[in-house]
Structures are given as C-alpha cells and as structure tokens.
Amino acid sequence: MQLTEAVMIIMVTGMTVGIPLLGLTLRFALKPVIETWLRVREVQARGQVSAGDLEGLRARVAHLEHMLDRHGLLEHTLTRPVSPELPEGLSPVVRVERERV
C-alpha cells in the first residue's frame, strides 16, 4: 500500500464518520439557542402582556411576600400592606413551625 492510498483511506473514513458526528454535535449544541431565539421573537410578535395576566402575577407575588413575611423569611419587612385574604384561585397554606438555624 502506498502512502497516497493510506492517506485517502484515512481521509474517507474520517469524513464518513466525522461529518455525521459533527452534525449531531452542532444540532444538540444549537437547538436550545435556536428554540429560545424563536420563543423570544414569538413573544415580541404577540405584543405586551395583558392587564389580566399582570394583575394575576401581582396578586401571586403579593401572596408569596405575605407568606414569607409571616414565616419570618424576609430580610426586610414589607413597605406596603398586604391584605390577609387570599387572591382567588390560590389555596391556603398550612403554617409549619421551622427551627431557625
């Protein structure tokens, strides 16, 4: 076997195996990036968040802040009063006594 034949065999084998492996590697590496980019463009095309969704999120955050404040897990106290009644759709949480560490 001559040197030229050996080089050609190595190159053909490397390309036969290497190109599909490179394609699979790029697919798995780039898929999350492309999906995220498409979702961002989709959200931008849809427009802003609706007022109902925003009010629901505000109610949920207020409830979570209230629960953290009740359990003493906030580093600072809340500056605005939080109503004790639960927003609709949220279930009451059972209070669990926790040991301070």
Side-chain angles (χ1 to χ4, degrees), residues 31-46:
K31 185 177 179 180
V33 173
I34 302 259
E35 284 180 353
T36 304
W37 180 71
L38 289 174
R39 285 183 186 160
V40 166
R41 287 188 47 122
E42 179 183 316
V43 168
Q44 287 175 346
R46 255 193 274 152

Side-chain angles (χ1 to χ4, degrees), residues 29 43-45 50 56 62 68 74 84-85 89 99-100:
V43 168
Q44 287 175 346
S50 69
L68 287 173
L74 281 181
E85 68 271 356
E99 179 182 342
R100 295 262 177 181

